[in-house]
Amino acid sequence: MYEVLLIAGMMALTFGPRYLPFALAGRIQLPPLVTQALEFVPVAVLTAIITQATLYRDGILVINLDNHYLVAALCAFATSLLTRHMFLTILVGLVTYGISLWLG
């Protein structure tokens, strides 16, 4: 019985915050400043995910050329800045990671 209540509670806590924005979309007019600020949320979240995955290894900040993820991310970032081509950026990042891992 306890497990059923636990699962029902977890479902309510998980479903509620995800359903409310969809249910209220279109009914609430957000101020332009809030709307403009919300446009930066995907970029901020993606940056946080990539930075954490790239720079931290086993809970330790690793900023050197032995960090294969960092080398690949820097090459992909440079490619993105120069070409603005998503597929080429992904390809350069993957190839650089493979070469960096293979070399060492």
Side-chain angles (χ1 to χ4, degrees), residues 11-64:
M11 183 184 76
L13 288 175
T14 302
F15 181 73
R18 293 192 170 110
Y19 176 73
L20 280 177
F22 290 111
L24 298 176
R27 295 183 184 171
I28 297 175
Q29 186 71 23
L30 295 174
L33 183 63
V34 174
T35 304
Q36 189 177 8
L38 288 175
E39 292 176 1
F40 294 104
V41 170
V43 174
V45 169
L46 189 60
T47 302
I49 291 170
I50 290 173
T51 302
Q52 191 270 339
T54 302
L55 296 179
Y56 282 92
R57 299 284 115 211
D58 299 323
I60 299 171
L61 181 65
V62 179
I63 301 176
N64 57 34

